[in-house]
Amino acid sequence: MTLSVAVSGASGYAGGEVLRLLTSHPHVQIGSITAHSNAGQKLGGLQPHLHALADRVLEPTDVDVLRGHDVVFLALPHGASAEIAAQLPEDTLVIDAGADHRLTDSAMWEKFYGSPHAGTWPYGLPELPGNREKLTNAKRIAVPGCYPTGSILGLAPGFTGGVLQTDDVVIVAASGTSGAGKSLKPHLLGSEVMGGMSPYGVGGLHRHTPEIIQGLSQAAGQDVSLSFTPTLAPMPRGILTTATAKYVPGTSAEAIRAAWETAYGNEQFVHLLPEGQWPSTKSVLGSNHVVMQLAVDEAAGRVIVVVAVDNLTKGTAGGAVQSMNIALGYPEETGLTVQGVAP
Amino acid sequence: MTLSVAVSGASGYAGGEVLRLLTSHPHVQIGSITAHSNAGQKLGGLQPHLHALADRVLEPTDVDVLRGHDVVFLALPHGASAEIAAQLPEDTLVIDAGADHRLTDSAMWEKFYGSPHAGTWPYGLPELPGNREKLTNAKRIAVPGCYPTGSILGLAPGFTGGVLQTDDVVIVAASGTSGAGKSLKPHLLGSEVMGGMSPYGVGGLHRHTPEIIQGLSQAAGQDVSLSFTPTLAPMPRGILTTATAKYVPGTSAEAIRAAWETAYGNEQFVHLLPEGQWPSTKSVLGSNHVVMQLAVDEAAGRVIVVVAVDNLTKGTAGGAVQSMNIALGYPEETGLTVQGVAP
Amino acid sequence: MTLSVAVSGASGYAGGEVLRLLTSHPHVQIGSITAHSNAGQKLGGLQPHLHALADRVLEPTDVDVLRGHDVVFLALPHGASAEIAAQLPEDTLVIDAGADHRLTDSAMWEKFYGSPHAGTWPYGLPELPGNREKLTNAKRIAVPGCYPTGSILGLAPGFTGGVLQTDDVVIVAASGTSGAGKSLKPHLLGSEVMGGMSPYGVGGLHRHTPEIIQGLSQAAGQDVSLSFTPTLAPMPRGILTTATAKYVPGTSAEAIRAAWETAYGNEQFVHLLPEGQWPSTKSVLGSNHVVMQLAVDEAAGRVIVVVAVDNLTKGTAGGAVQSMNIALGYPEETGLTVQGVAP
Amino acid sequence: MTLSVAVSGASGYAGGEVLRLLTSHPHVQIGSITAHSNAGQKLGGLQPHLHALADRVLEPTDVDVLRGHDVVFLALPHGASAEIAAQLPEDTLVIDAGADHRLTDSAMWEKFYGSPHAGTWPYGLPELPGNREKLTNAKRIAVPGCYPTGSILGLAPGFTGGVLQTDDVVIVAASGTSGAGKSLKPHLLGSEVMGGMSPYGVGGLHRHTPEIIQGLSQAAGQDVSLSFTPTLAPMPRGILTTATAKYVPGTSAEAIRAAWETAYGNEQFVHLLPEGQWPSTKSVLGSNHVVMQLAVDEAAGRVIVVVAVDNLTKGTAGGAVQSMNIALGYPEETGLTVQGVAP
């Protein structure tokens, strides 16, 4: 059976990546493709890499257009997706790449987003224990943010395995510019970006902070304290996350490593690399894979995990398609590019 | 039926791209993967983006290893492939991504490569009239060079259509650094490459010059005069080719455009973009597509065609797989990524 | 004596580069710094690399502010500079980095810019024969465009030396993104620019086309026919220009080379590199130097000159300061960074 | 009086940057320029951006060549500089850009460098309290490493000001590729570097770790515990350092900020940016400036300082020239580019 899928926000980077992946998915056909200000235009002029869809015309993003599909992907600004989702039929599978339904703590939502909370949906990070079950047969899925994907996957095994302390996690991440979307802001111009790096949202201000805390706390079974600093790197895609936490004194390096091996030994998309090999974001570009390596710094009493993820694939659209597959009962890898594009 | 395929030169960029594409090909299984100095190593440390093949061990590149597969891809330095190919069974499909068997003119080969010519094989550029037929059922295929792919496809329609003059073609192309391979040369270091552009092989010295002339002359049915200048651009992949020739005086812009529309109207990988849309190499990264646009400059009496191609995909490995499909009777697009990866 | 200098358009790339250079100039002090929409802001937030001027406040760009300085640099959109210049005192040295006063042919101006022509000023490219004299004691100077700087300097010696034919010049140039200014356009976003190349203004449509023709025709003493194609490269600064023309049949390679050596042997900023060394734009970043190399392609009957220039320094602000120095009687190199910044 | 200066390691990035700066220094003349494998070549082919020195021939790096200059800059692999320095006259000012004489703890030297320690020289980071005095009239100067420059300057004010705890410093830094020198290693190729990020030396293994600890401990007056992770970013120059430490509970954000304002209020090269403005490495390229901003994250109990420095200028050659100026009694900024080059 072929399902009909609608993709909103199709002129943006997240929507474009959803479309890229869905064109390789054997069980779906791409129905309505929608946009806001670009409605009426052909996709070929906006997403010229999507050759197979070049002649498709963008429809406006509204409920009447999206209704009537089996699956609806929402790649919209926060706030917008909650409003539309609320009007879609309950038996439509709605997958929200936005932030509206990720947080469980309404107070945190309101503090970081400044608007009423629209409620919590199953969280599309199946590799975090407990999540895969909630995604099975789900009709509403909240796709994790790009930074949380790498950050949570990087440290969760240390918490589920009981080898990391929760009191002082520090994460510094470097993201490609597509993470900021197609916004026309001066600091995102190529002339400003190429050849340099800069931070933003420093001091716990980035909106992904509570989401990372939520995921790590879920793994730890208790509250985790986090310092999170995102930086903008001169590359279009990819996130390199350096995540560190103190380990429980006395834990051996072998026991620490074993926690990650146990957590991901059966995962097809998340990998602890062989010892001695460190991740590069280039090795996951365009793919749904997450690769990581860890080191134990005895002098500092910390485990350092470095994680590479493609912010648009596993960090957004790939995670979304993977979650869709789980919800619909397809093998998780269906339609997902299994190899990265490099160099 | 599943065919067994061997890939030599698997630690290089061309070999890696062949492997990336073949893992998505439904009718082949990847047999031996070989390398020269890296034999004995796992592929995961050398091509970390090829997640599905990470544990495969590289075998040495020699005839005994390669023999016994249905298809052998050679991604080797020129000279090496001819030597190995000569020892492989006649009924093995041998696809050479190197230069050894591309040129029909032995004198040109010897002038540009300085060694005896190994003979000419069917040329794996099916979109050039006459070639597709020669590839059908072929057992030996010479994959076009990366620059010739974009250059020939860019101007051939003007010659086959009789609207361009042959006496003064000028081509300037900008290539990503993967075109130079993994060679450890100072000018290819990231510090030297990022943020700058430089030319090389200026004055008709680049080895792809006679190959471009050959392809354009085949289209024109007469000798074409060419000035070709390659430049190195600060990007890992992609070639942007600016190709220009004088048009036959009196030809209308409509007639000129019609030549390209006729040539590529039925091709699935080569496209004249809608008027007003110009190609970016980013729109073809990782894909087998070639996109181009043309302008008629009446003041200069020239047609200018700008072509974008991924040097590793359509420009090497994608062209190789496409040609393999033709030789074996599969649909041309089998196993080829149909969408590019962007941004 | 220290002169007071005003710089308008100071929040843009050209204005910023003028300021960068002037802070090292021993004979000027920086007076008013003006902007349009950014007036009232501190420069430090807009041009954070100009540390010495971080606390300077931008004044509005209007005649009352600019009047009363010895020298006024205009780095404004075309049209705006002509309007302001017309109101400045005749004995103020006005240096226009915009296009308004470059062209001598009013019909060409109107064709390419679509507005009435404001008249022609001495052209700030002193290395083109005849120009240096006109700049001496000038009170109005039109700074050459960035593409014309490299293009004209690249081929002029061949015309003044009588070794090139005028009938079929072809130029393809690759520019860093700062050439497009700080415009908030989608195709200039870092995500779109990094990793790819694309053309624009193809077919003789770029506004620098008539300016290049004018300069080359001045050198040749007759009309030159030109095909000019600009491309956008993934780097913030620099232009690599590949310029080619047919040479007069029978001319020896030595005679051709001699034309360039003669032209630039006494120039301190323009250099024919030693044979065998090709220019990289990285070697001129931040500097006022222009480096080039040439090859004679006998098979094609063409000379190919490849030129590297920093679009913001020699291509705009450096050329402007050099011309100011000539007009005021200072040594040409005064205040100009003599070394590039690399890697 | 003009001093004669010799620069060894002149074909590398550090040596090239020393030369770039010294050509603008009014009190020195560049004497011998030396290299190892490139001796005998002209500098123009190796450092084409150093236009003024293009015709200088590289001499071999040996004591006889270097002796007889007033100042000798050593930009050599570790080990090599100690050997040469030991043979130079005591009254020659020797400035070592290598690591040999930076560490005070011989055991740390031996642990991280695996060779006997050559002794400790005055440390060329004048902004760290106590250092400027030791540099005055010094005849031997150890130039700080690039990572230590940003890391130490970033956090030292918090320790000297008593507002930071010493027990758990975490630093993650992203460096441009020139930090790795001109080494011909596969992972430094442009194709590998562009478009991606990767870590190295994770887990406290990087040789700059003990040097950062030394500098921070000097500021704190007690041992500092450090987790340091360096990463390689797709840019040629610049380091962005994210440095974080727990603050002393109860300290106000104002008191914290005041510590940095006090420390750098009179420094001309090190700046706490105005509140709300975050540093970009692009704003310091080619300049000797260091810019930083801090945030207080109350939820995490940490201060986060982000620092931008040019690894080759202030991080190596600029720091070296600044220290030379102090040693010789010149104003610190003599010969140092005061503005960065951007975009």
Side-chain angles (χ1 to χ4, degrees):
Chain A
M1 188 187 71
T2 299
L3 300 177
S4 174
V5 178
V7 177
S8 65
S11 57
Y13 292 137
E17 185 77 351
V18 169
L19 288 170
R20 182 178 75 87
L21 297 174
L22 291 181
T23 54
S24 300
H25 198 291
H27 303 312
V28 307
Q29 64 174 9
I30 296 171
S32 293
I33 299 176
T34 80
H36 182 62
S37 56
N38 292 307
Q41 294 189 43
K42 284 195 176 176
L43 191 68
L46 296 160
Q47 305 275 22
H49 62 298
L50 300 176
H51 304 278
L53 303 170
D55 291 330
R56 298 287 294 269
V57 177
L58 291 162
E59 301 176 69
T61 300
D62 63 44
V63 174
D64 288 337
V65 170
L66 298 174
R67 201 191 323 257
H69 296 83
D70 301 301
V71 183
V72 174
F73 284 89
L74 302 174
L76 304 172
H78 68 82
S81 51
E83 189 183 333
I84 285 184
Q87 305 173 64
L88 290 170
E90 285 189 8
D91 63 346
T92 300
L93 172 52
V94 182
I95 300 175
D96 183 8
D100 291 20
H101 307 92
R102 293 175 191 158
L103 295 184
T104 55
D105 182 337
S106 294
M108 274 296 170
W109 170 269
E110 283 163 23
K111 178 178 172 190
F112 277 83
Y113 292 86
S115 58
H117 190 215
T120 310
W121 290 357
Y123 191 69
L125 193 64
E127 296 86 357
L128 187 62
N131 285 9
R132 193 169 264 121
E133 296 69 24
K134 292 179 187 159
L135 295 168
T136 308
N137 296 316
K139 288 298 179 186
R140 294 289 186 275
I141 295 172
V143 180
C146 52
Y147 285 121
T149 297
S151 297
I152 297 171
L153 291 175
L155 289 181
F159 293 119
T160 54
V163 300
L164 294 182
Q165 294 182 214
T166 56
D167 62 328
D168 198 13
V169 173
V170 176
I171 297 178
V172 178
S175 175
T177 51
S178 61
K182 278 193 188 170
S183 334
L184 293 179
K185 296 177 181 163
H187 77 286
L188 296 178
L189 286 174
S191 299
E192 301 295 320
V193 165
M194 290 184 286
M197 289 194 73
S198 58
Y200 63 107
V202 187
L205 303 181
H206 193 282
R207 284 169 167 162
H208 286 175
T209 307
E211 188 181 339
I212 299 171
I213 291 175
Q214 172 178 300
L216 295 180
S217 299
Q218 176 182 333
Q222 64 183 98
D223 285 354
V224 165
S225 172
L226 169 69
S227 164
F228 172 62
T229 307
T231 65
L232 195 66
M235 55 192 192
R237 276 183 179 234
I239 295 177
L240 190 79
T241 305
T242 302
T244 168
K246 288 185 284 191
Y247 57 89
V248 175
T251 316
S252 71
E254 291 70 29
I256 289 169
R257 191 166 183 86
W260 273 258
E261 289 170 341
T262 301
Y264 298 133
N266 293 320
E267 292 294 343
Q268 59 185 316
F269 287 123
V270 184
H271 313 278
L272 180 66
L273 289 170
E275 285 195 73
Q277 187 180 344
W278 286 89
S280 163
T281 58
K282 291 193 62 129
S283 71
V284 296
L285 294 189
S287 97
N288 203 49
H289 288 274
V290 179
V291 292
M292 63 185 73
Q293 184 56 282
L294 63 84
V296 178
D297 184 340
E298 289 187 21
R302 285 186 166 267
V303 172
I304 301 95
V305 188
V306 185
V307 188
V309 58
D310 185 319
N311 59 306
L312 291 179
T313 318
K314 177 64 175 170
T316 305
V321 170
Q322 183 184 359
S323 296
M324 176 190 80
N325 288 335
I326 295 172
L328 298 174
Y330 302 130
E332 286 190 29
E333 73 278 14
T334 312
L336 289 168
T337 310
V338 290
Q339 311 284 54
V341 177
Chain B
M1 188 188 73
T2 301
L3 299 177
S4 173
V5 179
V7 177
S8 64
S11 56
Y13 293 137
E17 185 77 350
V18 169
L19 287 170
R20 181 176 78 86
L21 297 175
L22 291 182
T23 54
S24 299
H25 198 291
H27 303 312
V28 309
Q29 64 174 9
I30 296 171
S32 293
I33 300 177
T34 81
H36 182 62
S37 56
N38 292 307
Q41 295 188 41
K42 285 194 176 178
L43 192 66
L46 297 160
Q47 306 275 22
H49 61 299
L50 300 176
H51 305 280
L53 303 170
D55 291 330
R56 298 287 295 267
V57 176
L58 290 162
E59 300 176 70
T61 299
D62 63 44
V63 175
D64 289 338
V65 170
L66 298 174
R67 200 193 320 260
H69 295 83
D70 301 301
V71 184
V72 175
F73 284 88
L74 301 175
L76 304 172
H78 68 82
S81 52
E83 190 183 332
I84 285 183
Q87 304 173 64
L88 290 170
E90 284 189 8
D91 63 346
T92 300
L93 172 52
V94 182
I95 301 175
D96 184 8
D100 291 21
H101 307 91
R102 293 175 190 157
L103 296 185
T104 55
D105 182 337
S106 294
M108 273 298 170
W109 170 269
E110 283 163 24
K111 178 178 171 190
F112 278 85
Y113 291 86
S115 58
H117 190 214
T120 310
W121 290 357
Y123 191 70
L125 193 65
E127 295 87 358
L128 187 62
N131 285 8
R132 192 169 264 121
E133 296 69 22
K134 292 179 187 161
L135 294 168
T136 308
N137 297 317
K139 289 296 180 186
R140 294 290 186 274
I141 295 172
V143 180
C146 52
Y147 285 121
T149 297
S151 296
I152 296 170
L153 291 175
L155 289 181
F159 293 118
T160 53
V163 299
L164 293 183
Q165 294 182 215
T166 56
D167 62 329
D168 198 13
V169 173
V170 176
I171 296 178
V172 178
S175 174
T177 52
S178 60
K182 278 193 187 170
S183 332
L184 294 179
K185 295 177 182 164
H187 77 285
L188 296 177
L189 286 173
S191 299
E192 302 295 320
V193 164
M194 290 183 286
M197 289 194 73
S198 58
Y200 63 107
V202 186
L205 302 181
H206 194 282
R207 284 171 167 162
H208 286 174
T209 307
E211 189 181 338
I212 299 170
I213 291 174
Q214 172 178 299
L216 295 181
S217 299
Q218 177 182 331
Q222 65 183 98
D223 285 353
V224 165
S225 172
L226 170 69
S227 164
F228 172 62
T229 306
T231 65
L232 195 65
M235 56 192 191
R237 278 185 178 233
I239 295 177
L240 190 79
T241 305
T242 303
T244 169
K246 288 186 283 191
Y247 57 90
V248 176
T251 317
S252 72
E254 291 69 28
I256 290 170
R257 191 166 184 87
W260 273 258
E261 289 170 340
T262 302
Y264 298 133
N266 294 320
E267 291 294 343
Q268 59 185 316
F269 287 123
V270 184
H271 314 278
L272 181 66
L273 290 170
E275 284 196 74
Q277 187 179 345
W278 286 89
S280 163
T281 58
K282 290 193 64 126
S283 71
V284 296
L285 293 189
S287 97
N288 203 49
H289 288 275
V290 179
V291 292
M292 63 185 72
Q293 185 56 280
L294 63 83
V296 178
D297 184 341
E298 289 188 22
R302 285 185 166 267
V303 171
I304 300 95
V305 187
V306 186
V307 187
V309 59
D310 185 318
N311 58 307
L312 291 179
T313 318
K314 178 63 174 169
T316 306
V321 170
Q322 183 184 1
S323 295
M324 177 190 79
N325 288 336
I326 296 172
L328 298 174
Y330 301 129
E332 285 190 31
E333 73 278 15
T334 312
L336 289 168
T337 310
V338 290
Q339 311 284 52
V341 178
Chain C
M1 187 188 73
T2 300
L3 300 177
S4 174
V5 179
V7 177
S8 65
S11 57
Y13 292 137
E17 186 77 351
V18 169
L19 287 170
R20 181 177 76 87
L21 297 174
L22 290 181
T23 54
S24 300
H25 198 292
H27 303 312
V28 308
Q29 65 174 10
I30 296 171
S32 293
I33 300 177
T34 81
H36 182 62
S37 56
N38 292 307
Q41 295 188 41
K42 284 194 175 178
L43 192 66
L46 296 160
Q47 306 275 20
H49 62 297
L50 300 176
H51 304 278
L53 303 170
D55 291 330
R56 297 288 293 269
V57 176
L58 291 163
E59 300 177 69
T61 300
D62 63 44
V63 174
D64 289 337
V65 170
L66 298 173
R67 200 193 321 260
H69 295 84
D70 302 300
V71 184
V72 175
F73 284 88
L74 301 175
L76 304 173
H78 67 83
S81 52
E83 190 183 331
I84 285 183
Q87 304 172 65
L88 291 170
E90 284 188 9
D91 63 347
T92 300
L93 172 52
V94 182
I95 301 175
D96 184 8
D100 291 21
H101 307 91
R102 294 174 190 158
L103 296 185
T104 55
D105 181 337
S106 294
M108 273 296 170
W109 170 268
E110 285 163 21
K111 177 179 173 191
F112 277 84
Y113 292 87
S115 59
H117 191 213
T120 310
W121 290 358
Y123 191 70
L125 192 64
E127 295 86 356
L128 186 63
N131 285 8
R132 192 169 264 120
E133 297 69 22
K134 293 179 187 161
L135 294 167
T136 308
N137 296 317
K139 288 297 181 189
R140 294 291 187 271
I141 295 172
V143 180
C146 51
Y147 285 121
T149 297
S151 297
I152 296 169
L153 291 175
L155 289 181
F159 293 118
T160 54
V163 299
L164 293 182
Q165 294 182 217
T166 57
D167 62 329
D168 197 14
V169 173
V170 176
I171 297 178
V172 178
S175 174
T177 52
S178 60
K182 277 193 189 172
S183 332
L184 293 180
K185 295 177 182 165
H187 77 285
L188 296 177
L189 286 174
S191 299
E192 302 295 319
V193 164
M194 290 184 286
M197 290 194 72
S198 58
Y200 62 108
V202 187
L205 303 181
H206 194 282
R207 284 170 166 160
H208 287 174
T209 307
E211 188 180 340
I212 299 170
I213 290 173
Q214 172 177 300
L216 295 180
S217 299
Q218 176 182 332
Q222 65 183 99
D223 286 352
V224 166
S225 171
L226 170 69
S227 164
F228 172 62
T229 307
T231 64
L232 194 66
M235 55 192 193
R237 276 184 179 235
I239 295 177
L240 190 80
T241 305
T242 302
T244 169
K246 287 186 283 192
Y247 57 89
V248 175
T251 317
S252 71
E254 292 68 29
I256 290 169
R257 190 166 185 88
W260 273 258
E261 289 170 342
T262 302
Y264 298 133
N266 293 321
E267 291 294 344
Q268 59 185 316
F269 286 124
V270 184
H271 314 278
L272 182 66
L273 290 170
E275 285 196 74
Q277 187 180 346
W278 287 88
S280 162
T281 58
K282 289 193 65 127
S283 71
V284 296
L285 294 189
S287 97
N288 203 48
H289 289 274
V290 179
V291 292
M292 64 185 74
Q293 184 56 281
L294 64 83
V296 178
D297 184 341
E298 290 188 21
R302 285 185 166 268
V303 171
I304 300 96
V305 188
V306 185
V307 188
V309 59
D310 185 318
N311 58 306
L312 291 178
T313 318
K314 178 63 174 170
T316 305
V321 170
Q322 183 184 359
S323 296
M324 176 190 81
N325 288 336
I326 295 171
L328 298 173
Y330 301 129
E332 286 190 29
E333 73 278 13
T334 312
L336 289 167
T337 310
V338 290
Q339 311 284 53
V341 177
Chain D
M1 187 187 73
T2 300
L3 300 177
S4 174
V5 179
V7 177
S8 64
S11 57
Y13 293 136
E17 185 78 350
V18 169
L19 288 170
R20 181 176 78 86
L21 297 174
L22 290 181
T23 54
S24 301
H25 198 291
H27 304 311
V28 308
Q29 65 174 10
I30 296 171
S32 294
I33 299 177
T34 81
H36 182 62
S37 56
N38 292 306
Q41 295 187 43
K42 284 194 175 178
L43 192 67
L46 296 159
Q47 306 274 23
H49 62 298
L50 300 176
H51 304 278
L53 303 170
D55 291 329
R56 298 287 295 267
V57 176
L58 291 162
E59 300 176 69
T61 300
D62 62 45
V63 174
D64 289 339
V65 171
L66 298 173
R67 202 192 321 259
H69 295 83
D70 301 301
V71 184
V72 175
F73 284 88
L74 301 174
L76 304 172
H78 68 82
S81 52
E83 190 184 332
I84 285 183
Q87 304 172 65
L88 290 170
E90 284 188 8
D91 63 345
T92 300
L93 173 52
V94 182
I95 300 175
D96 183 8
D100 291 21
H101 308 90
R102 293 173 190 159
L103 295 185
T104 55
D105 181 337
S106 295
M108 273 297 170
W109 171 268
E110 284 163 23
K111 178 178 171 190
F112 278 83
Y113 291 88
S115 59
H117 190 214
T120 311
W121 290 358
Y123 191 70
L125 192 64
E127 295 87 357
L128 186 63
N131 285 9
R132 192 170 264 119
E133 296 69 23
K134 293 179 187 160
L135 295 168
T136 309
N137 297 317
K139 287 298 179 185
R140 295 289 186 274
I141 295 172
V143 180
C146 52
Y147 285 121
T149 297
S151 297
I152 297 170
L153 291 174
L155 289 181
F159 293 118
T160 54
V163 298
L164 293 182
Q165 294 183 214
T166 56
D167 62 328
D168 198 13
V169 173
V170 176
I171 297 178
V172 178
S175 174
T177 52
S178 60
K182 277 192 188 171
S183 333
L184 293 179
K185 295 176 182 164
H187 76 286
L188 296 177
L189 286 173
S191 299
E192 302 294 320
V193 164
M194 290 184 286
M197 290 194 71
S198 57
Y200 62 107
V202 186
L205 303 181
H206 194 282
R207 283 168 168 163
H208 286 174
T209 307
E211 188 180 340
I212 299 170
I213 291 174
Q214 172 179 299
L216 295 181
S217 299
Q218 177 182 333
Q222 65 183 97
D223 285 353
V224 165
S225 172
L226 170 69
S227 164
F228 172 62
T229 306
T231 65
L232 195 66
M235 55 192 194
R237 277 183 179 235
I239 294 178
L240 189 80
T241 304
T242 302
T244 169
K246 287 184 285 190
Y247 58 90
V248 175
T251 317
S252 71
E254 292 68 29
I256 290 170
R257 192 167 183 87
W260 272 259
E261 288 170 343
T262 302
Y264 298 133
N266 294 321
E267 292 294 342
Q268 59 186 317
F269 287 124
V270 184
H271 313 279
L272 181 66
L273 290 170
E275 285 195 73
Q277 187 179 346
W278 286 89
S280 164
T281 58
K282 290 193 63 127
S283 71
V284 295
L285 294 189
S287 98
N288 203 48
H289 288 275
V290 179
V291 292
M292 64 186 73
Q293 184 55 281
L294 63 84
V296 178
D297 183 341
E298 290 187 22
R302 285 184 166 269
V303 171
I304 301 95
V305 188
V306 186
V307 187
V309 58
D310 185 317
N311 58 305
L312 291 178
T313 319
K314 177 63 174 170
T316 305
V321 171
Q322 183 184 1
S323 297
M324 177 190 80
N325 288 336
I326 295 171
L328 298 174
Y330 301 129
E332 286 189 30
E333 73 278 14
T334 312
L336 290 167
T337 310
V338 291
Q339 311 283 53
V341 177

